[in-house]
Amino acid sequence: VFETNVPPRFRLYFYNSARQSKVPSQLNKITVETVRSDGARQSFSFAEGNSYLEAMVELPEPHEFDATLTIAHGDHAHTFDFKFSEDDHRHEPANLADGDYQDAHERAHASAIARRFSNRTVSTAQIVFFGLTGGLLPCPAALTVLLLCLQLKKFTLGFTLVLCFSLGLALTMVIAGALAAWSVQHASRRFKGFGELARKAPYVSSALLVAMGLLFAVQGWRHLP
């Protein structure tokens, strides 16, 4: 925020490896959106100045807010969150819950989620309703057990088995999720590079699924008459 002998405005500087300031020519659009403690939002567009970009409108007081810088170039955009304090007039990077590094893609998703669900409260009834609607899709295994029991005219046994199956599955998933979260936290503290390995895990799992799919396809093709 530049306010030396002029009304306060945002200024953006871009530095190359030689620490020379020059506005990149390939940028499409740059905006800054501020969010104040009362939820008020304001968006700032920029015009090119002398080796910097300057906001087209003044920044109102107080200079204490959360903000998101969006830099668009090509066919995609990058977002950067920061906080601005009235005390020292310095911006600080947003603190991550786990302190890990986030790339531009992760920050974009995190910012979108934060903007969509900020200042919202969820009631217990809404959580219960979400759980009920999430369980409307039947599990194939439970449906198979139920159909077999109906075929044998064991209605009570079928519903009891499905109920026990669902409760056991829910308990197993909760325990597995809690153990996974606990183990990841401890592994991140003890092994350096674990966070980077975890970020690459989806690529490994997707490659494994593709390989399994190709294997099953080949086996199925070989057994066709």
Side-chain angles (χ1 to χ4, degrees):
V1 175
F2 187 82
E3 53 184 339
T4 304
N5 301 323
V6 293
R9 293 175 185 262
F10 280 118
R11 281 189 181 182
L12 300 179
Y13 292 86
F14 299 81
Y15 295 96
N16 58 18
S17 57
R19 297 297 295 173
Q20 296 176 344
S21 178
K22 183 179 180 180
V23 178
S25 59
Q26 70 274 19
L27 298 179
N28 298 340
K29 185 178 181 182
I30 295 181
T31 59
V32 170
E33 184 184 47
T34 60
V35 182
R36 300 184 181 271
S37 58
D38 59 355
R41 295 176 178 267
Q42 185 177 8
S43 182
F44 297 84
S45 300
F46 290 81
E48 188 169 353
N50 183 18
S51 72
Y52 57 82
L53 297 180
E54 187 173 62
M56 301 177 65
V57 296
E58 298 178 10
L59 178 65
E61 295 282 356
H63 297 164
E64 189 160 357
F65 43 77
D66 295 341
T68 299
L69 168 66
T70 302
I71 301 178
H73 63 97
D75 57 352
H76 64 285
H78 301 283
T79 59
F80 305 89
D81 295 329
F82 63 93
K83 297 179 181 293
F84 202 91
S85 173
E86 184 72 33
D87 297 333
D88 53 13
H89 272 212
R90 292 182 301 178
H91 68 273
E92 301 174 356
N95 294 323
L96 303 178
D98 53 6
D100 287 341
Y101 166 79
Q102 284 184 330
D103 59 25
H105 184 74
E106 291 173 315
R107 285 194 301 269
H109 283 291
S111 299
I113 292 173
R115 288 193 297 268
R116 182 174 180 180
F117 296 103
S118 60
N119 300 323
R120 293 190 180 185
T121 58
V122 180
S123 64
T124 303
Q126 288 176 320
I127 296 176
V128 172
F129 182 74
F130 175 77
L132 292 175
T133 54
L136 288 178
L137 293 177
C139 173
L143 186 60
T144 302
V145 172
L146 182 60
L147 290 177
L148 288 175
C149 292
L150 292 178
Q151 182 68 23
L152 298 174
K153 301 187 181 304
K154 302 289 185 179
F155 303 105
T156 304
L157 177 62
F159 285 111
T160 304
L161 289 176
V162 171
L163 177 61
C164 294
F165 176 86
S166 301
L167 293 177
L169 179 62
L171 183 60
T172 302
M173 293 180 64
V174 170
I175 294 176
L179 289 176
W182 176 80
S183 60
V184 166
Q185 290 180 355
H186 282 268
S188 300
R189 295 173 183 173
R190 297 188 177 185
F191 303 102
K192 294 182 179 180
F194 181 82
E196 183 66 23
L197 180 63
R199 278 189 290 272
K200 294 180 179 179
Y203 300 102
V204 178
S205 62
S206 61
L208 180 61
L209 288 176
V210 170
M212 293 177 60
L214 292 176
L215 177 61
F216 293 152
V218 171
Q219 290 182 345
W221 178 263
R222 293 176 57 185
H223 287 81
L224 286 177

